[in-house]
Amino acid sequence: MSENTANAGTTPQGEGANENPAMEGSQPKTFTQEEVNALMGKTRKEERAKFANYDDYKAAAEKLKQIEEKDKTDLQKATERADAAEARLAEREAADAIAKAAREVAKATGVPVEALRGTTREEIEAHAEVLKPFFAKDAAPSVNTGSPSTEEKGSGDPLRDAINQML
């Protein structure tokens, strides 16, 4: 096999022999099979040396990816918790603002806070205007809370007596 030759980097003489003008006058170099095998072996060793630590790098990259995923998950969890807390805070602030508006409208109109409904100040004011006649000072009936007179027959209950008088 040592006598087998290979023409590396040359073309057959019949096909485009004059394509490279620098090689016109020179004879192409021929290699023996052993020389070609040696060159190929050297090239393979060099390529293998480039990737000798590939498995180590691959394992390190995988570990880094797992750490990043874990950190990303923790970051996402923290972000979700912060978003939820901000939403609760916003809800609480809105509820406090509505309660404050209801107190202010109640003070201005004389309608009890407990009777007012609405989600905006305008709704609360409109509801207070509807209820205002029912909570006017003059709207309450006068009830005799004193003791019944001896002249009239009473039941002993002033409210019952007042209702009976109206009927």
Side-chain angles (χ1 to χ4, degrees):
M1 280 195 208
S2 64
E3 295 185 12
N4 293 338
T5 59
N7 292 329
T10 62
T11 59
Q13 294 296 330
E15 301 175 12
N18 293 330
E19 287 180 9
N20 191 351
M23 294 186 66
E24 269 184 38
S26 66
Q27 184 69 13
K29 179 165 175 141
T30 58
F31 295 95
T32 64
Q33 186 63 45
E34 286 137 3
E35 291 173 327
V36 171
N37 289 345
L39 285 173
M40 291 302 290
K42 180 181 175 189
T43 304
R44 281 189 207 118
K45 286 180 184 177
E46 289 171 356
E47 288 299 314
R48 285 184 187 142
K50 286 181 188 178
F51 299 104
N53 295 331
Y54 176 76
D55 291 333
D56 295 338
Y57 293 137
K58 186 176 179 181
E62 185 64 30
K63 186 173 182 180
L64 177 62
K65 184 177 178 182
Q66 289 173 353
I67 291 170
E68 287 174 348
E69 285 297 319
K70 180 183 174 273
D71 289 345
K72 182 179 175 184
T73 303
D74 289 344
L75 179 61
Q76 287 174 341
K77 288 178 184 176
T79 302
E80 289 172 1
R81 283 193 311 264
D83 291 344
E86 288 173 357
R88 286 192 308 270
L89 177 63
E91 288 174 11
R92 182 65 185 166
E93 287 174 347
D96 288 346
I98 297 295
K100 181 180 177 187
R103 285 190 305 272
E104 291 171 356
V105 169
K107 185 175 181 181
T109 61
V111 177
V113 170
E114 297 81 14
L116 296 175
R117 301 289 178 263
T119 57
T120 64
R121 183 178 190 90
E122 292 77 23
E123 289 177 1
I124 294 170
E125 288 173 346
H127 193 236
E129 290 302 317
V130 169
L131 295 177
K132 193 173 184 180
F134 299 105
F135 290 98
K137 297 290 182 192
D138 297 337
S142 65
V143 178
N144 185 3
T145 59
S147 62
S149 66
T150 56
E151 296 175 7
E152 296 180 18
K153 290 185 175 179
S155 67
D157 183 10
L159 183 59
R160 183 181 301 262
D161 292 340
I163 292 173
N164 287 336
Q165 283 178 358
M166 293 184 347
L167 298 176

